[in-house]
Amino acid sequence: MVILPKVKQLQLGLKWFLLFIAVVLSIQYTSPQNSYFQDSHDKLIQTYSLYYNHFRSDKLYYPGYDFDPNLNYFHLVDNLYIKCKDRIVSAFPIQFAALMAPLLYILPLSYLVYSSLLFLFLGFWILKQYYKFSFSLLWICYFGTYLWPLSWEYSEMPAIFAFSLIGLLPILRNQKSILIQTVAGLSLSWVILVRLDTLPFFSFFFFFTFLFLWKDHSYRSVLSKIVSLRVYLIVCLLGISLQFILNEILYDHIFGTRFLANLSGFKVSFAQRLEWFQSLNFYADKKIGFFAYLPMTLPLIVYYGKKFKAISNLKKSLLLSLILTIIVIPFIAPNDGFNNWGPRFYTVLIFPYLLLLKPLYVKISASKNWKFRITLILIITYSFLLGIVGAKIQKSKTSLVKNFRAITKELNPDIIVFTDYLNLYSIGSDYTKHISLVSYTSEKNDQLINILSEKMKNKKIIFVDWHPFILTQETRNAMNAEKAKGGYPISHWDLNRLESSLEKNTSNFQILDKQMYRIWSGTIKGAN
């Protein structure tokens, strides 16, 4: 009699262990310690900046600031940082960086990406403990959605997933504990301020939840529900208010840096919005949209739509909120997510999708109708295969960083100058070990060499461009024509001019071909 509970505990432990191993290996495949590219890199440096500044300032770490106070060689483009009072700060909300920066006291910088495991398994545990998900559904939750690719890079997305689950526990699972309501209120307020694009979903959900309660019962029922949730609602409102105050103090705007940096993105044409609707929801420009990644969404909408009158009010609220958020986001978002594998603007929709999927999944799994079962398996397998494709793409990006790390280790430069900001991201987390700059013109190259000759004597400098066999002039011109809208082309340096200047101002001058790069290297002589 005593043995059976122990066997069940061992089985439960084994299931958690297998899930953990599968998640870790699936992330490790992409070499996440080399995944700091674009947004992931910028969030890493923002987090490092808080740690570097001993939490006394959110001023962005820029190793070239001493000789480049005007940011002429700073890599971040306009919508990724703002100038605020006497400092430059990241466009990303500070709340995530503040949450993660203490980990740098125990983790190497490049391993901060593994923090996603904490949030993933917090989310899995919440789904298992409170939402009664089976382990098969937990596997689908991760490998059958774009939660998988969102965990390959250092970002707030896994935290958004976990904290959203916690944030709606008092309503979805009728949790009345003061502790749970307090934690849920704090979680929800954090999610909303870190990702303003979650606000439409939560607004719709609360609106429909109380609307159906009022419609099916009475005004008193609504008041009674509010009273039962008073701790939750008060904590959430206080959390949002305090973060508004923090944003106002730090950045002179209650919505914070992300809103300010994205202002220009909110002014695009209606035609552009329609294009974003296509890319966010379906497919465009090598971007997989919500319905394309999760094709099960459409059958879910049809299934619950037909049974709308019979389903619970909470399911009605989830369904309507999911549909309306899908429609609204492309018309209020500042962009379409660029090159993300899976629509990150819809991260908050993963859990309503899963909650709506659960009853249908259980029903089909128990059904003897093999057509339904095979169809479900094929749809989930398709989403899984998309994840594998994304993993291959991600691995190619991390390989770029990994290979460039070998170059910096061999050459050990003090200063690295890149041809464009995307090229600079090859430095990965080693950004903090070198002075990494971007120069877009030959004139800026000359000015930089003169400045460094005065301030950086005996420092080793390398200029880095793509190898001409990798990036021919025709290819460069074609890519720059595509980049013309953004205004940040791949530079076309006058190589004779660069080499002449380096021969004059550096010793041990060399021209090296390393992997995919052509590199000009020398040690700065110093001003005469």
Side-chain angles (χ1 to χ4, degrees), residues 75-87:
H75 73 282
L76 288 182
V77 296
D78 291 343
N79 70 331
L80 290 177
Y81 77 99
I82 62 172
K83 294 181 180 179
C84 187
K85 298 175 182 176
D86 59 342
R87 67 198 194 283

Side-chain angles (χ1 to χ4, degrees), residues 146-380:
Y146 54 93
L147 182 60
W148 184 16
L150 290 177
S151 65
W152 296 330
E153 297 185 331
Y154 176 64
S155 82
E156 73 279 11
M157 299 307 177
I160 294 296
F161 169 72
F163 291 163
S164 296
L165 288 170
I166 297 171
L168 291 185
L169 274 176
I171 295 180
L172 290 174
R173 308 309 296 174
N174 197 30
Q175 293 292 318
K176 296 180 180 179
S177 159
I178 292 178
L179 176 60
I180 289 181
Q181 289 203 23
T182 301
V183 174
L186 289 173
S187 298
L188 188 59
S189 66
W190 188 89
V191 167
I192 291 172
L193 267 293
V194 171
R195 296 291 310 188
L196 290 172
D197 49 66
T198 64
L199 188 55
F201 172 78
F202 291 121
S203 299
F204 288 135
F205 180 75
F206 278 94
F207 171 77
F208 286 118
T209 296
F210 288 109
L211 176 65
F212 290 130
L213 186 63
W214 189 349
K215 181 180 177 183
D216 290 356
H217 297 281
S218 66
Y219 178 68
R220 286 187 177 182
S221 298
V222 174
L223 288 179
S224 177
K225 186 70 172 177
I226 291 174
V227 169
S228 71
L229 297 172
R230 62 188 181 278
V231 174
Y232 168 62
L233 296 174
I234 290 171
V235 169
C236 184
L237 290 174
L238 281 176
I240 291 173
S241 299
L242 288 174
Q243 291 180 84
F244 276 164
I245 293 170
L246 177 67
N247 286 338
E248 183 65 34
I249 292 171
L250 291 177
Y251 314 115
D252 298 325
H253 197 290
I254 62 171
F255 290 133
T257 52
R258 185 74 275 181
F259 181 85
L260 291 171
N262 281 341
L263 281 176
S264 60
F266 296 131
K267 301 174 183 177
V268 299
S269 66
F270 184 72
Q272 181 68 71
R273 294 283 179 190
L274 291 178
E275 290 181 17
W276 289 356
F277 185 89
Q278 178 183 340
S279 61
L280 282 169
N281 288 302
F282 302 102
Y283 177 84
D285 299 326
K286 298 180 181 179
K287 289 187 282 287
I288 306 295
F290 190 77
F291 288 101
Y293 205 110
L294 302 176
M296 191 64 193
T297 306
L298 190 56
L300 285 176
I301 292 174
V302 172
Y303 174 78
Y304 284 107
K306 288 182 177 180
K307 301 171 70 69
F308 192 77
K309 291 183 179 180
I311 62 178
S312 69
N313 285 340
L314 285 177
K315 284 190 174 65
K316 290 176 183 176
S317 298
L318 286 171
L319 178 67
L320 292 174
S321 302
L322 183 145
I323 293 170
L324 289 174
T325 302
I326 288 172
I327 294 171
V328 166
I329 285 295
F331 297 98
I332 63 171
N335 54 65
D336 65 349
F338 299 112
N339 61 348
N340 287 96
W341 193 252
R344 59 186 167 90
F345 284 118
Y346 291 140
T347 300
V348 72
L349 296 185
I350 293 176
F351 86 85
Y353 164 81
L354 292 170
L355 293 180
L356 292 172
L357 175 65
K358 179 188 171 186
L360 193 59
Y361 171 82
V362 172
K363 185 177 181 179
I364 293 175
S365 298
S367 169
K368 295 181 179 179
N369 190 322
W370 62 270
K371 292 182 180 179
F372 284 158
R373 296 175 71 177
I374 289 177
T375 301
L376 179 64
I377 291 171
L378 289 175
I379 291 175
I380 292 172

Side-chain angles (χ1 to χ4, degrees), residues 21-33:
I21 292 297
V23 171
V24 170
L25 291 178
S26 70
I27 294 175
Q28 186 59 34
Y29 169 76
T30 64
S31 300
Q33 65 270 29

Side-chain angles (χ1 to χ4, degrees), residues 91-132:
F92 298 106
I94 193 174
Q95 288 88 341
F96 178 66
L99 181 68
M100 304 309 296
L103 291 176
L104 290 177
Y105 287 105
I106 58 175
L107 281 180
L109 187 64
S110 62
Y111 280 76
L112 203 58
V113 67
Y114 290 104
S115 61
S116 65
L117 290 170
L118 298 175
F119 300 113
L120 288 173
F121 277 88
L122 173 61
F124 296 156
W125 183 80
I126 294 294
L127 285 172
K128 180 69 176 170
Q129 181 73 16
Y130 292 99
Y131 294 93
K132 307 305 177 185

Side-chain angles (χ1 to χ4, degrees), residues 407-511:
I407 294 175
T408 56
K409 186 175 181 180
E410 177 188 349
L411 299 180
N412 194 28
D414 299 293
I415 305 159
I416 309 176
V417 187
F418 294 90
T419 48
D420 74 317
Y421 76 102
L422 288 176
N423 199 356
L424 178 141
Y425 285 122
S426 302
I427 196 70
S429 59
D430 284 351
Y431 180 82
T432 60
K433 300 177 182 178
H434 312 274
I435 298 175
S436 303
L437 311 169
V438 172
S439 178
Y440 284 104
T441 66
S442 294
E443 290 74 17
K444 283 196 171 185
N445 284 346
D446 292 341
Q447 292 168 12
L448 179 62
I449 291 171
N450 290 334
I451 292 170
L452 295 178
S453 293
E454 295 180 1
K455 296 180 179 286
M456 294 286 177
K457 184 179 180 180
N458 296 326
K459 298 295 184 181
K460 187 174 184 180
I461 186 171
I462 62 173
F463 283 75
V464 180
D465 192 11
W466 299 108
H467 195 285
F469 290 158
I470 300 295
L471 190 67
T472 64
Q473 189 58 49
E474 292 77 11
T475 305
R476 189 187 300 259
N477 291 339
M479 292 177 67
N480 283 343
E482 184 69 23
K483 289 185 172 193
K485 295 179 182 178
Y488 294 93
I490 300 174
S491 309
H492 176 58
W493 294 336
D494 183 330
L495 299 184
N496 291 329
R497 186 171 170 177
L498 174 64
E499 291 165 11
S500 175
S501 181
L502 287 174
E503 285 178 339
K504 177 182 177 182
N505 293 284
T506 67
S507 57
N508 304 316
F509 173 67
Q510 300 179 78
I511 301 175

